[in-house]
Amino acid sequence: MIKTISLPRPSLSDNTADADRLIRALKQELKTDRIGIELELLRELPVLLRKYDYHIRCLLFQDRKGYLLVSISGADETKPLIGLAVDLGTTRVVLRLIDLIKGNTLGESTFDNPQIAIGPDILTRIHFADTEGGLEHLHALIINSINEELARLCQTCAITPKDVYLLSLAGNTAMTHLFMGLSPHRIIREPYIPVINTPEIMTACKLGIKANPLSKILIFPNIGSYFGGDLIAGILFSGMNLSEETAILVDVGTNAEVVIGNRHWMIACAGAAGPALEGGLSRMGMMAGPGVIDRASIRSDAHEFDIHTIDDKKPIGICGSGVIDLAACLFLSGMMDIRGKLVPAACGNRFKEKDDMGHLIVVPASESATGKDLCLSQADLDSLKRSKAAMFTILETISGAVGLLLSDLKTFYVAGTFGCFINPKSAITIGMLPDLPLETFKPLGNSSLGGAVMALTQDCIKTIDAIRNQITYLELNVNQDFMNRFSAAKFFPHTDISRFPSVKQYL
Amino acid sequence: MIKTISLPRPSLSDNTADADRLIRALKQELKTDRIGIELELLRELPVLLRKYDYHIRCLLFQDRKGYLLVSISGADETKPLIGLAVDLGTTRVVLRLIDLIKGNTLGESTFDNPQIAIGPDILTRIHFADTEGGLEHLHALIINSINEELARLCQTCAITPKDVYLLSLAGNTAMTHLFMGLSPHRIIREPYIPVINTPEIMTACKLGIKANPLSKILIFPNIGSYFGGDLIAGILFSGMNLSEETAILVDVGTNAEVVIGNRHWMIACAGAAGPALEGGLSRMGMMAGPGVIDRASIRSDAHEFDIHTIDDKKPIGICGSGVIDLAACLFLSGMMDIRGKLVPAACGNRFKEKDDMGHLIVVPASESATGKDLCLSQADLDSLKRSKAAMFTILETISGAVGLLLSDLKTFYVAGTFGCFINPKSAITIGMLPDLPLETFKPLGNSSLGGAVMALTQDCIKTIDAIRNQITYLELNVNQDFMNRFSAAKFFPHTDISRFPSVKQYL
């Protein structure tokens, strides 16, 4: 929060000390009973107050007991006050710089999590953290990369890391632990105990972050080992915690995490869908990038695909949303049956056998950038089937757990970059998402980053804690009932076609 | 505070994180809604909790919003938990080590404030702090000397500075500022504004203190430039803030600071008694030490002094309490008149003129350790007269300000080492202290250190703040009325002898 205030000048009849004078005014202004101020700022305070003639702009960060005073400048000064939001993903890290005075984005930078060098998945890293010096190495990798990227990003925005006073970071529980240099050892071991759920606001330099030495960082709290701060940030960003209407939020990443609820209650389940989700949705297709097929449709007359590639480059591969679009096309055109098997006769010359497995040629070698056929293999489709069935089963289970039908939902948030590109119509067609009116689906984009940005520009730590405390975590019980539902969902779109009326009409 | 607790072990049905589990238990146990925990301790927490099987001893320091967790050890471990109380005087610094488990004193060390090398008085140091690098130099001097003495003291107590987890420090406002590296510039300049009145509990290593890296320090708050934390500590130590009966507390140091009050109200005045106290009470005599005359009486028949020297060494000089005793003897025996002038005829061969000034020989050269006569000069007596008159006038003024007579007071605390040695009977005889029953006077010793020790062993930050907030600071108005009273007090014991009945009987 930025607060411009004028202090009464000291006099013999009001000779309160400089710090106490400022704190008194801020307490009154902010209706709080605690204003924290660091020694380093205290040392500069007498000069600053007089330099600006007691008319100052204060940058404060709300913590759980009040506010922390982070910077003092002249009320009319143009000194930049910058915030840094961090989306700390297992695979990708996104930094976004926010001008805290104007509220706008200054710049953004995405880079690979350098811990990938240790292990692409979090499990490998957690094991590595148990080795001698392993935790320190993982900690240093992420801190150093953030520092380097921050420096670079600042340069492009014509500011310096010293201008960065507030930071917020959202990541899953394991990543957050590695970021803080806390052992993630028990996160993956029964009974799955993190070191901390709710970190205090801390001084960023304590973590090795090279922003302003006075800068403070809010690290989003987690609910447990399998429900991290990234999801809390996502919920904050969606606003579903404020709404009377019940909404569902699905974050499709390495795991599928689902939250259902409204301002009165929230139920979440995440990750541990057992073998059903093994492999995960993220394995569908390749990562989005130039030349990657992200959208596709079919000219039903000709069995011809209309494909779209990112940046309109010659196609080099297919990403998740493309796979879903293509699977929907294949199913509707009869090239794939309701079991998800390619139908060679219907595929015609697009069908080929390779390594004893059926393949559907999406783009022939002659038109692809790789010089090779771009295919969907039967294995790809089987994997998609398992993933979409798992997703649908989780959605069914969680809504059932609160006595709701999926059709009762008025808003369906799809988070993650995946959620941005996915075509809900296609996802419904393959039975991955429930058959709701298309306007029900709201892509949130990088909701984790969005929540982190909100934490910089609004006083929302209480809201964040409220979200955390409001959520009931539902351990997905992968029992016979779940497996039966899962089996029923392993058809396109479902064994019970009556649940997908919008698809049925085309069949 | 030390709290031994057992935590419920983590389970699938109670999988709160380690830190949150501990904090939850401590919050409940301590009836507080905030437990702070530093990153460094957080990093060790998972191992510590399991090593001690969730049965641990927590050392906590109360701050203004809850408690800070400073150390975790096994419930039955013998690891020392030590506190350090610091009395930060302008002239002398006293360190006392406290065993926080048993509550007893481990050791104590007194040393000269090394800033004396810059200037013996605080004014010189404040001016020096304005020069380039001056403040940093003064700050480093005191911090380094405390570190050195702490290391030495720890060695003699068979512990290490790393065992020191809690610190408390009481000093006057200027010394406290120099200790924190804050500019004292405005403390001596109208309108006399300190940088801070109420410092937060801080991590001691931030100040350069080489105790345990997690150690926390409470710095006693001040009321203003002229009423420091040393006095707040003194009031805390006296307990007058808890009593129904009105008491007065006098701290005789470089200035005479006076507090009058009870649990309902307190009025203080300090220092600025204008020209009356110039020179101060501290200029009376030399500093106490071996061979210094600290007590004296007279055999009225023979005009012979019975003197006592510290450590029973051959006399080398006279300290404050000795000067007061001697002045009382001189007055009662007629060797000094009610104006405080030596009466040559009554002094006999003890009188000598030197440099055109009367001197009274206390110890002849033949019996002194210096080989010279130890004398009280007329100038010494004049200075004593001004000092004692100032003291009495302040006492009269402050009690008058609250509508009390000095004779109404049931308890009269005399703080400071001076207070320990002073003979109230002599002080009454010369009219320095009011003529109250001798049992009214209670020497407190080093009350500043005493208060600092209390802050280590009891949760008293709220009491400390309450004392600070309860005190009304009375600016001593050195007006005609004050000067009239002062003039009346510049006689032995007073122009109005009826106010000193116990003295009158001997005259």
Side-chain angles (χ1 to χ4, degrees):
Chain A
M1 151 168 317
I2 293 175
K3 199 88 209 170
T4 299
I5 52 169
S6 285
L7 303 180
R9 282 186 189 73
S11 67
L12 280 173
S13 61
D14 176 12
N15 60 0
T16 295
D18 288 337
D20 300 68
R21 176 177 309 271
L22 175 57
I23 287 169
R24 181 180 66 186
L26 286 171
K27 277 183 178 175
Q28 212 167 346
E29 193 74 31
L30 301 176
K31 312 262 178 274
T32 182
D33 63 349
R34 183 188 176 229
I35 301 284
I37 176 167
E38 292 269 3
L39 185 63
E40 293 83 349
L41 191 51
L42 204 55
R43 284 179 176 156
E44 294 173 27
L45 187 62
V47 169
L48 292 176
L49 285 184
R50 286 160 186 86
K51 178 173 166 193
Y52 301 121
D53 198 20
Y54 302 94
H55 186 48
I56 52 170
R57 187 170 62 191
C58 299
L59 176 65
L60 300 113
F61 211 11
Q62 194 185 31
D63 80 353
R64 293 185 172 83
K65 289 289 146 207
Y67 285 86
L68 305 170
L69 182 57
V70 186
S71 159
I72 294 172
S73 46
D76 313 309
E77 229 193 346
T78 52
K79 163 183 161 177
L81 296 175
I82 309 300
L84 173 68
V86 183
D87 167 34
L88 181 58
T90 306
T91 309
R92 304 282 274 173
V93 182
V94 188
L95 307 185
R96 186 183 286 174
L97 289 178
I98 304 292
D99 181 325
L100 296 170
I101 298 169
K102 297 183 194 142
N104 61 309
T105 297
L106 282 188
E108 189 170 312
S109 155
T110 304
F111 56 97
D112 283 349
N113 186 324
Q115 296 172 340
I116 291 173
I118 305 298
D121 59 300
I122 200 75
L123 212 64
T124 312
R125 298 183 208 169
I126 293 179
H127 287 301
F128 181 80
D130 283 338
T131 62
E132 177 75 27
L135 175 58
E136 292 71 18
H137 183 58
L138 284 163
H139 175 62
L141 276 176
I142 187 61
I143 297 293
N144 293 344
S145 70
I146 290 175
N147 284 338
E148 282 163 27
E149 287 294 329
L150 174 61
R152 208 180 336 257
L153 182 58
C154 283
Q155 207 161 26
T156 68
C157 301
I159 58 163
T160 79
K162 293 271 170 291
D163 298 324
V164 174
Y165 288 93
L166 307 188
L167 296 92
S168 65
L169 177 137
N172 66 44
T173 306
M175 279 312 306
T176 301
H177 273 54
L178 294 177
F179 177 78
M180 288 193 276
L182 302 177
S183 167
H185 180 85
R186 289 174 185 83
I187 287 180
I188 53 164
R189 291 171 172 87
E190 203 179 310
Y192 313 111
I193 308 295
V195 177
I196 195 164
N197 293 133
T198 318
E200 287 186 75
I201 306 278
M202 54 183 104
T203 303
C205 65
K206 276 209 118 171
L207 293 162
I209 293 293
K210 290 185 182 146
N212 189 285
L214 286 169
S215 64
K216 299 289 175 187
I217 182 166
L218 178 153
I219 295 169
F220 273 77
N222 61 68
I223 294 184
S225 292
Y226 290 108
F227 199 97
D230 47 350
L231 298 168
I232 307 273
I235 294 168
L236 176 72
F237 184 64
S238 77
M240 65 184 283
N241 56 303
L242 304 174
S243 167
E244 278 295 335
E245 272 190 356
T246 301
I248 197 163
L249 185 154
V250 178
D251 193 334
V252 186
T254 308
N255 295 314
E257 282 121 348
V258 180
V259 185
I260 188 167
N262 53 44
R263 61 180 299 181
H264 303 292
W265 56 266
M266 278 188 274
I267 308 275
C269 66
L277 258 183
E278 214 165 280
L281 295 165
S282 65
R283 288 230 189 135
M284 295 190 314
M286 65 190 291
M287 192 170 280
V292 169
I293 299 172
D294 61 344
R295 295 200 304 267
S297 56
I298 196 163
R299 275 173 270 160
S300 54
D301 51 333
H303 283 202
E304 279 295 317
F305 296 115
D306 272 340
I307 62 162
H308 175 266
T309 62
I310 296 173
D311 295 348
D312 293 317
K313 293 264 194 296
K314 250 189 158 182
I316 57 164
I318 314 167
C319 73
S321 59
V323 170
I324 291 171
D325 272 1
L326 285 165
C329 297
L330 295 178
F331 175 60
L332 291 178
S333 64
M335 291 194 274
M336 181 178 81
D337 66 17
I338 70 161
R339 296 169 307 148
K341 297 295 169 201
L342 290 169
V343 180
C347 297
N349 59 3
R350 288 190 169 270
F351 184 85
K352 74 173 184 187
E353 285 270 352
K354 195 179 134 193
D355 305 333
D356 287 335
M357 186 187 282
H359 283 69
L360 181 104
I361 301 164
V362 178
V363 178
S366 58
E367 295 168 28
S368 84
T370 59
K372 291 179 184 167
D373 291 341
L374 298 184
C375 294
L376 277 179
S377 73
Q378 187 59 55
D380 290 335
L381 293 170
D382 290 349
S383 163
L384 171 66
K385 184 173 70 177
R386 276 195 307 278
S387 294
K388 78 96 188 170
M391 167 71 97
F392 190 78
T393 309
I394 293 171
L395 294 175
E396 238 188 341
T397 303
I398 193 170
S399 55
V402 293
L404 285 176
L405 294 174
L406 285 168
S407 53
D408 294 335
L409 297 168
K410 293 288 176 287
T411 311
F412 196 115
Y413 294 110
V414 190
T417 33
F418 183 75
C420 271
F421 297 109
I422 203 173
N423 179 345
K425 199 162 190 301
S426 301
I428 292 170
T429 301
I430 64 167
M432 183 180 199
L433 293 178
D435 196 358
L436 299 172
L438 292 183
E439 64 273 19
T440 312
F441 296 95
K442 301 251 172 14
L444 286 180
N446 188 340
S447 57
S448 167
L449 183 66
V453 169
M454 279 177 72
L456 293 177
T457 52
Q458 300 171 30
D459 285 342
C460 49
I461 194 163
K462 279 165 203 220
T463 310
I464 291 167
D465 284 353
I467 292 171
R468 199 201 94 84
N469 296 329
Q470 199 177 18
I471 291 177
T472 305
Y473 187 75
L474 184 74
E475 195 71 54
L476 260 193
N477 192 2
V478 184
N479 54 15
Q480 193 52 49
D481 200 45
F482 183 93
M483 290 313 289
N484 289 346
R485 279 205 211 104
F486 180 53
S487 298
K490 281 206 289 194
F491 288 83
F492 287 82
H494 196 272
T495 44
D496 180 4
I497 187 68
S498 73
R499 300 168 73 171
F500 288 83
S502 80
V503 183
K504 192 179 175 191
Q505 62 178 320
Y506 297 112
L507 300 179
Chain B
M1 146 166 326
I2 292 176
K3 199 89 207 167
T4 299
I5 52 168
S6 285
L7 303 180
R9 283 185 187 73
S11 66
L12 280 174
S13 61
D14 176 11
N15 60 0
T16 296
D18 288 337
D20 301 66
R21 176 177 308 273
L22 174 58
I23 288 168
R24 181 181 67 187
L26 287 171
K27 277 183 177 174
Q28 212 167 345
E29 193 74 30
L30 301 177
K31 313 263 179 273
T32 180
D33 63 350
R34 183 186 176 229
I35 301 284
I37 175 167
E38 292 269 2
L39 186 64
E40 293 83 351
L41 191 51
L42 204 55
R43 284 177 177 158
E44 294 173 28
L45 187 62
V47 169
L48 291 176
L49 285 184
R50 286 157 186 88
K51 178 173 164 192
Y52 300 121
D53 198 20
Y54 302 94
H55 185 48
I56 51 170
R57 188 169 61 193
C58 299
L59 175 65
L60 301 114
F61 210 12
Q62 193 184 32
D63 80 352
R64 292 183 172 86
K65 287 291 145 204
Y67 286 86
L68 305 171
L69 182 57
V70 186
S71 158
I72 294 172
S73 46
D76 311 311
E77 229 192 348
T78 52
K79 163 183 162 178
L81 296 175
I82 308 301
L84 173 68
V86 183
D87 167 35
L88 182 58
T90 306
T91 309
R92 305 282 275 173
V93 182
V94 188
L95 307 184
R96 186 183 287 175
L97 288 177
I98 304 292
D99 181 326
L100 295 170
I101 299 169
K102 297 182 193 144
N104 60 309
T105 297
L106 283 186
E108 190 170 311
S109 156
T110 305
F111 57 97
D112 283 349
N113 187 325
Q115 297 172 343
I116 290 173
I118 304 299
D121 59 301
I122 201 74
L123 212 63
T124 312
R125 298 182 207 171
I126 292 177
H127 287 301
F128 181 81
D130 284 338
T131 62
E132 177 77 27
L135 175 57
E136 292 71 18
H137 183 57
L138 285 163
H139 175 61
L141 276 175
I142 188 62
I143 297 292
N144 294 342
S145 71
I146 290 176
N147 283 337
E148 281 163 27
E149 286 295 329
L150 174 61
R152 210 183 332 261
L153 182 58
C154 284
Q155 208 162 25
T156 68
C157 301
I159 57 163
T160 78
K162 293 269 170 294
D163 299 323
V164 174
Y165 289 92
L166 307 190
L167 295 93
S168 64
L169 177 137
N172 64 44
T173 306
M175 279 310 306
T176 300
H177 273 54
L178 295 177
F179 176 78
M180 289 193 275
L182 302 177
S183 167
H185 179 84
R186 289 174 186 82
I187 287 181
I188 53 164
R189 290 171 171 87
E190 204 180 311
Y192 312 110
I193 307 296
V195 177
I196 194 164
N197 294 132
T198 317
E200 286 187 76
I201 307 275
M202 55 183 102
T203 303
C205 65
K206 275 210 119 172
L207 293 163
I209 292 293
K210 291 186 180 144
N212 188 286
L214 287 169
S215 64
K216 299 287 176 189
I217 182 164
L218 179 153
I219 295 169
F220 272 77
N222 62 68
I223 293 183
S225 292
Y226 289 109
F227 198 98
D230 49 349
L231 299 168
I232 307 272
I235 294 168
L236 177 73
F237 184 63
S238 77
M240 66 185 282
N241 56 304
L242 303 175
S243 168
E244 278 295 337
E245 272 188 357
T246 302
I248 198 163
L249 185 154
V250 178
D251 193 335
V252 185
T254 309
N255 294 315
E257 281 120 351
V258 181
V259 185
I260 189 167
N262 53 43
R263 59 181 300 182
H264 303 293
W265 55 266
M266 278 188 275
I267 307 276
C269 67
L277 257 182
E278 213 166 279
L281 296 165
S282 65
R283 288 230 188 134
M284 295 191 312
M286 65 190 294
M287 191 172 282
V292 170
I293 299 172
D294 61 345
R295 295 200 304 267
S297 55
I298 197 163
R299 277 173 269 162
S300 53
D301 51 335
H303 284 201
E304 280 295 318
F305 297 114
D306 272 340
I307 62 161
H308 175 266
T309 62
I310 296 173
D311 294 347
D312 291 320
K313 294 264 194 295
K314 249 189 158 182
I316 57 163
I318 315 167
C319 73
S321 60
V323 171
I324 291 171
D325 273 2
L326 286 164
C329 297
L330 295 178
F331 175 59
L332 290 179
S333 64
M335 291 193 274
M336 182 178 80
D337 66 18
I338 69 161
R339 295 169 307 148
K341 297 294 170 204
L342 290 169
V343 181
C347 296
N349 58 6
R350 288 191 169 271
F351 184 84
K352 73 172 183 187
E353 286 268 354
K354 197 178 134 194
D355 305 336
D356 287 336
M357 186 186 285
H359 283 70
L360 182 105
I361 301 164
V362 179
V363 178
S366 58
E367 296 167 29
S368 85
T370 59
K372 291 182 183 165
D373 291 340
L374 298 184
C375 294
L376 277 179
S377 71
Q378 187 58 54
D380 291 335
L381 293 171
D382 290 350
S383 164
L384 171 65
K385 185 174 67 176
R386 276 195 306 277
S387 295
K388 78 95 188 171
M391 167 72 97
F392 191 79
T393 309
I394 293 171
L395 293 175
E396 235 189 343
T397 303
I398 193 170
S399 56
V402 294
L404 285 174
L405 294 174
L406 286 169
S407 54
D408 293 334
L409 297 168
K410 294 286 174 287
T411 311
F412 196 115
Y413 294 110
V414 190
T417 35
F418 183 75
C420 273
F421 297 109
I422 204 172
N423 179 347
K425 200 162 188 301
S426 300
I428 292 169
T429 301
I430 65 167
M432 183 181 200
L433 293 179
D435 195 359
L436 300 171
L438 292 182
E439 63 273 20
T440 312
F441 296 95
K442 301 250 172 13
L444 286 179
N446 187 340
S447 57
S448 166
L449 183 65
V453 169
M454 279 177 72
L456 294 178
T457 53
Q458 300 170 31
D459 285 343
C460 49
I461 194 162
K462 278 164 204 222
T463 311
I464 290 167
D465 284 353
I467 292 171
R468 199 200 94 83
N469 295 329
Q470 200 177 18
I471 292 177
T472 306
Y473 187 74
L474 184 74
E475 196 69 54
L476 261 192
N477 192 1
V478 185
N479 55 15
Q480 193 53 49
D481 200 45
F482 183 93
M483 291 313 289
N484 289 346
R485 280 204 210 102
F486 181 51
S487 299
K490 280 206 290 193
F491 288 83
F492 288 84
H494 196 271
T495 44
D496 180 5
I497 188 67
S498 73
R499 300 168 74 169
F500 288 83
S502 81
V503 183
K504 191 179 176 190
Q505 62 179 318
Y506 297 112
L507 299 182

